[in-house]
Amino acid sequence: MTDKTAKLIFWGGTLSSLILFLILTVDTHRQVGALTHADKLSAQVLDGKRAFQKYNCNDCHTILGFGGYYSPDLTRVYSRRGPDYIRNVLQHPEVAFANSFRKMPQQHISETEIGNLVAFFEWVNNIETNDWPPQDSKKYRAANRLSSAAGVSRGAALFQENRCFDCHKLEGVGGDTGPALDQAGQRHDEETIKRIISQPQSVNPQATMPSHEDMSASDVSAIAEFLAKQKGEGR
Amino acid sequence: MIAYKSQRIAYPYFVVALFLFALQVVMGLWLAINYAFTLPQGLVDVFPFSTARAFHTNLLVLWMLLGFMGGTYFMIPEESKRELFSVKLAWIQLILLVGTGVTALIGFLFGWTQGRPLLEIPTSLDFLIVIGALIFLYNVGMTMIKARNWTMTQGTLLAGLVTLALLYLFGIPFYHNLSIDWYYWWWVIHLWVEGAWELVTAALFAWLLMRITGVDRRVVEKWLYVEIGLFLFTGIAGTGHHYYWIGAPKYWLWVGGIFSALEPVPILLMVWDTLRHVKERKAAINNPVVWMFAIGCAIYHFVGAGVWGFLHTLPQINYYTHGSQVTVSHGHLAFFGAYALLNLTVFYYVFAQLKGITNFRQVLGKWGFWVTSISMFLMGLAFGVAGVLQSYLERKLGLGYMVTHQNMQLWFHIVLVCGLFFLLGVIIMIYDLLTLKEEKAR
Ligand code: HEM
Ligand code: HEM
Ligand SMILES: [Fe+2]
């Protein structure tokens, strides 16, 4: 190779890539408003972003998949858990995660800041991310349920699809935020379980479990029927 | 054995860098302990993982930049055949940067942070860093201008350093839109490690190879053009591999995927180039440790950045691995292979020169190299297995995050053990460097 070709590769390569990149950057700026619903970016959402940065949440939690990998991604936390649950976690992380093997610090966040953070998560929840993350994609979870329902009851498959395992153990598998449900059928009848699922506060006003009001009645029944059968023979 | 007195300024830069490196690794161990064990709430409240992570990564960036700066100050007089413009400015810059860095770390302990990963340093301190960078560029630029001995290697170095400083500016503002925030966050992070830093290290590496192998400058510099041309061609548009899931247009899946998939090519070229120069050397091998680090760096760079990067860069795969422990695995292998080993190569070469040693004690350097390289590789593998488990259990099967992590704990214990060995290797290396002396004649 001659010196001249080498220089040609250098300038040609660098400039072509740079120009393409800059053009696409301009175009991304043109489209990003629609993709992120920037019209809904209110002053409260902005304050929420400021609080998010102030408490350095991002060095434990990823958001849009970036940051520390120590705790759950927060891109879709609003639809995953709902505002009340998020509020409760931010007020009392030491209580919410008392049984967990990994802790979140009590940072004494003010009520206003908590409201702002929730507004921020609500806005982030609607960013169009090409259906990432898969674990929070409705489409993806439903497809998984269909493929697994063949082997188990519909109730069990829905229990998995609706992430009840995130917080509850069955036969030793699952999270620690809520109680294990191996004896759910002994503690509650099927009707009560239905109410706990769709509106936990209607059974226990202090409940912190997220409500599932938009779940269809037939799905709620199927899960409740499945849980009512759990009478502690497991394990 | 140095030609210019002002080259001595590299020494304090490197000593500080080594000290910060050790501290960074200790913080890494602390992070691994956070993963492997349940810590009491009271401790988490005062020194949370988030703060420790900010320590770990900021120390990393600080020691590496100090290493590059020290290396530049050592190389420039030799290349331009002139004393540095001002040794005093170099001292002021060192004190300013280290002072700012230490202030930032203490600030993190009290929650003074910009709260963006890797760019946690608060805005007011950012300005001090910018001043430090300007002093540095002025000092280097004036030396080159006064000397008027332009070489391709100097040009590459200067271009890399100026770009590095300019890109940092994009990390300073408060962005309203989270997607735009991350868009420009990657202008700092990606365009640094896969752009500007590649230029800086390619130049330092080319200079070092010319020194130790005695290979003709024309040959080395011709290939340097090709390498950095390909680095920038693939690396600039390759930034798109971070724009798949952030709320940016869909074409990034194509642009990011295709360009970044080509990123291993220039790294491979660099490995091939290095091995060829070594084979066609005109000088005798007098300090094998330096050669070992140089060749090791080229190969490890290819494995950590090229191979590990390629493994998760295509959107079809990245959909499942994005933001998982797979990323951590790659982050460690790439940073260690490309930039930690490069700095250490330069440190070994320069320390011997500064102390006027022709044949230094080799045994500790070899131990340091193998212990750190192997334990980091095993650590990367352990993070990698944890990451594949996470991608499968959390993302594919839809188990919750915490449930998935219960099933990954074993691998974090393994990370911790590898980390302890890594620290041992680092201590050996630092001790060796600081006490480097002539091998006793046998
Ligand atoms: C004893 C050795 C080390 C251990 C145990 C360790 C451990 C860790 C851990 C647990 C994290 C946090 C990942 C997360 O956010 O969940 C981390 C982050 C990081 N470490 Fe280390 N580390 C060590 C040494 C190093 C070294 C030598 C380097 C560079 C050469 C390095 C570079 C990084 C980087 C770049 C990140 C951020 C990763 C990312 O955002 O993907 N670490 N480290
Ligand atoms: C020396 C060069 C490199 C270094 C030091 C490096 C370092 C890193 C680090 C620290 C991260 C994590 C950043 C974060 O989210 O906190 C990362 C992410 C990534 N890197 Fe690299 N990298 C290098 C080269 C490459 C190359 C050549 C490729 C592709 C061929 C690549 C592909 C990726 C991808 C796809 C991600 C995103 C991972 C995700 O989606 O979470 N990297 N890199
Ligand atoms: Fe990248």
Side-chain angles (χ1 to χ4, degrees):
Chain A
M1 188 181 303
T2 63
D3 286 7
K4 224 170 133 193
T5 345
K7 283 185 189 166
L8 206 70
I9 292 181
F10 171 71
W11 286 110
T14 308
L15 289 179
S16 61
S17 195
L18 183 65
I19 290 169
L20 174 69
F21 187 64
L22 291 178
I23 292 176
L24 295 185
T25 296
V26 172
D27 185 69
T28 300
H29 270 283
R30 284 211 323 238
Q31 297 199 40
V32 77
L35 289 165
T36 59
H37 307 278
D39 51 322
K40 301 221 173 63
L41 230 170
S42 64
Q44 195 187 12
V45 172
L46 268 187
D47 283 341
K49 185 170 185 287
R50 289 202 178 87
F52 189 68
Q53 292 185 204
K54 173 177 164 194
Y55 293 104
N56 204 16
C57 314
N58 213 174
D59 258 329
C60 279
H61 290 278
T62 48
I63 193 158
L64 296 174
F66 308 124
Y69 313 104
Y70 188 67
S71 41
D73 185 81
L74 295 178
T75 314
R76 295 288 185 252
V77 71
Y78 188 85
S79 55
R80 182 167 74 224
R81 302 288 188 233
D84 296 335
Y85 182 81
I86 298 176
R87 244 177 240 122
N88 178 60
V89 164
L90 294 179
Q91 281 161 346
H92 308 294
E94 74 286 4
V95 181
F97 303 130
N99 299 323
S100 178
F101 67 93
R102 205 172 279 168
K103 308 293 180 197
M104 164 159 157
Q106 168 56 277
Q107 291 178 289
H108 304 287
I109 307 171
S110 76
E111 279 304 313
T112 328
E113 284 172 326
I114 290 181
N116 299 342
L117 278 164
V118 170
F120 173 63
F121 291 134
E122 184 180 7
W123 177 77
V124 172
N125 191 47
N126 289 320
I127 296 178
E128 283 168 34
T129 58
N130 292 324
D131 216 20
W132 193 90
Q135 68 268 25
D136 290 318
S137 148
K138 286 223 160 55
K139 220 170 73 198
Y140 197 82
R141 291 192 82 86
N144 265 1
R145 186 232 315 148
L146 292 177
S147 64
S148 64
V152 296
S153 73
R154 195 168 106 83
L158 284 164
F159 188 86
Q160 147 70 7
E161 182 192 347
N162 288 290
R163 15 185 24 131
C164 313
F165 273 123
D166 286 14
C167 302
H168 295 291
K169 276 196 166 66
L170 271 180
E171 308 206 6
V173 177
D176 302 308
T177 313
L181 294 181
D182 299 290
Q183 293 168 354
Q186 260 168 5
R187 293 170 45 78
H188 306 285
D189 58 31
E190 202 173 316
E191 273 314 304
T192 317
I193 298 181
K194 274 195 211 166
R195 279 168 54 211
I196 293 180
I197 297 173
S198 32
Q199 185 47 271
Q201 281 85 359
S202 71
V203 176
N204 165 8
Q206 256 80 57
T208 57
M209 166 165 150
S211 57
H212 295 81
E213 280 154 320
D214 47 4
M215 199 188 283
S216 75
S218 83
D219 285 4
V220 174
S221 302
I223 300 180
E225 189 192 330
F226 164 71
L227 283 182
K229 283 193 219 127
Q230 309 298 320
K231 302 219 165 162
E233 296 104 28
R235 295 211 154 211
Chain B
M1 250 187 352
I2 49 170
Y4 302 89
K5 272 211 314 274
S6 52
Q7 286 178 297
R8 291 200 174 284
I9 188 67
Y11 193 73
Y13 273 79
F14 290 170
V15 171
V16 177
L18 282 172
F19 177 72
L20 298 177
F21 180 29
L23 210 59
Q24 183 223 341
V25 174
V26 171
M27 275 298 144
L29 282 172
W30 177 244
L31 292 176
I33 289 174
N34 274 259
Y35 265 105
F37 303 102
T38 300
L39 303 180
Q41 184 76 38
L43 183 54
V44 172
D45 288 348
V46 291
F47 190 53
F49 178 90
S50 42
T51 307
R53 190 181 193 269
F55 265 72
H56 183 58
T57 50
N58 281 272
L59 282 164
L60 161 77
V61 175
L62 188 58
W63 85 257
M64 290 200 170
L65 289 179
L66 290 177
F68 293 159
M69 288 168 168
T72 304
Y73 278 144
F74 189 89
M75 165 184 151
I76 290 303
E78 279 189 15
E79 279 287 297
S80 65
K81 306 197 169 51
R82 182 189 186 281
E83 292 285 357
L84 278 183
F85 174 69
S86 162
V87 174
K88 206 196 233 157
L89 273 182
W91 270 108
I92 294 175
Q93 175 209 339
L94 177 64
I95 292 165
L96 178 69
L97 289 178
V98 174
T100 311
V102 171
T103 313
L105 294 178
I106 295 173
F108 294 161
L109 283 176
F110 298 96
W112 191 33
T113 169
Q114 208 196 348
R116 296 159 74 216
L118 309 190
L119 303 179
E120 289 92 348
I121 298 188
T123 317
S124 37
L125 292 183
D126 277 338
F127 289 109
L128 292 181
I129 294 190
V130 170
I131 294 173
L134 286 176
I135 297 178
F136 175 64
L137 292 177
Y138 176 71
N139 207 358
V140 171
M142 284 308 280
T143 311
M144 290 181 182
I145 289 170
K146 295 232 155 157
R148 287 176 199 286
N149 265 318
W150 291 107
T151 61
M152 153 77 186
T153 314
Q154 277 179 74
T156 308
L157 183 65
L158 190 63
L161 293 171
V162 171
T163 318
L164 195 164
L166 284 178
L167 288 169
Y168 188 72
L169 300 178
F170 288 93
I172 296 180
F174 174 83
Y175 293 95
H176 288 198
N177 187 316
L178 186 72
S179 299
I180 294 295
D181 192 338
W182 287 106
Y183 192 90
Y184 287 107
W185 188 86
W186 284 109
W187 281 39
V188 188
I189 307 304
H190 171 101
L191 288 175
W192 264 14
V193 299
E194 290 158 69
W197 287 32
E198 291 280 14
L199 295 196
V200 174
T201 54
L204 285 170
F205 202 66
W207 162 78
L208 194 99
L209 278 182
M210 287 187 275
R211 292 283 150 200
I212 63 176
T213 63
V215 169
D216 204 26
R217 173 178 292 273
R218 284 229 3 231
V219 182
V220 174
E221 293 196 336
K222 183 177 77 189
W223 287 104
L224 189 57
Y225 265 116
V226 179
E227 269 166 37
I228 60 175
L230 292 178
F231 268 129
L232 293 175
F233 176 67
T234 58
I236 297 177
T239 317
H241 66 178
H242 304 293
Y243 297 161
Y244 300 155
W245 327 114
I246 68 165
K250 278 209 166 41
Y251 48 68
W252 286 115
L253 296 172
W254 287 96
V255 176
I258 292 170
F259 278 83
S260 70
L262 294 173
E263 281 185 50
V265 174
I267 311 181
L268 193 60
L269 181 64
M270 188 198 63
V271 175
W272 176 70
D273 220 29
T274 308
L275 296 178
R276 203 174 31 126
H277 292 329
V278 167
K279 218 166 108 201
E280 292 167 5
R281 64 181 171 263
K282 303 210 171 73
I285 298 186
N286 50 11
N287 279 314
V289 162
V290 176
W291 295 67
M292 189 170 189
F293 271 89
I295 297 168
C297 171
I299 295 173
Y300 219 125
H301 186 163
F302 178 67
V303 173
V307 178
W308 248 249
F310 181 80
L311 285 176
H312 61 153
T313 203
L314 296 176
Q316 295 87 336
I317 295 169
N318 194 261
Y319 185 64
Y320 296 103
T321 59
H322 177 48
S324 71
Q325 298 293 325
V326 170
T327 312
V328 185
S329 172
H330 158 70
H332 281 87
L333 294 181
F335 256 112
F336 179 75
Y339 300 126
L341 282 179
L342 180 106
N343 266 309
L344 293 165
T345 311
V346 174
F347 293 177
Y348 263 105
Y349 176 73
V350 168
F351 274 41
Q353 297 286 311
L354 284 174
K355 293 185 178 175
I357 307 173
T358 20
N359 268 309
F360 60 79
R361 171 183 65 198
Q362 302 291 314
V363 56
L364 286 182
K366 283 187 186 155
W367 273 98
F369 175 82
W370 285 112
V371 173
T372 49
S373 294
I374 293 175
S375 56
M376 179 52 83
F377 189 67
L378 294 176
M379 199 173 104
L381 282 181
F383 274 131
V385 177
V388 172
L389 269 175
Q390 185 180 7
S391 305
Y392 186 69
L393 297 177
E394 186 193 10
R395 282 92 190 273
K396 188 89 191 161
L397 296 188
L399 291 188
Y401 176 93
M402 293 302 286
V403 180
T404 303
H405 267 255
Q406 288 169 6
N407 293 290
M408 289 153 62
Q409 288 301 60
L410 168 66
W411 300 98
F412 292 122
H413 285 89
I414 296 177
V415 163
L416 184 56
V417 173
C418 298
L420 285 169
F421 279 97
F422 185 78
L423 178 64
L424 179 73
V426 171
I427 292 172
I428 294 176
M429 230 150 37
I430 294 178
Y431 170 81
D432 189 34
L433 277 166
L434 295 181
T435 61
L436 209 59
K437 50 175 172 279
E438 199 83 45
E439 180 99 276
K440 284 189 203 85
R442 255 174 258 166

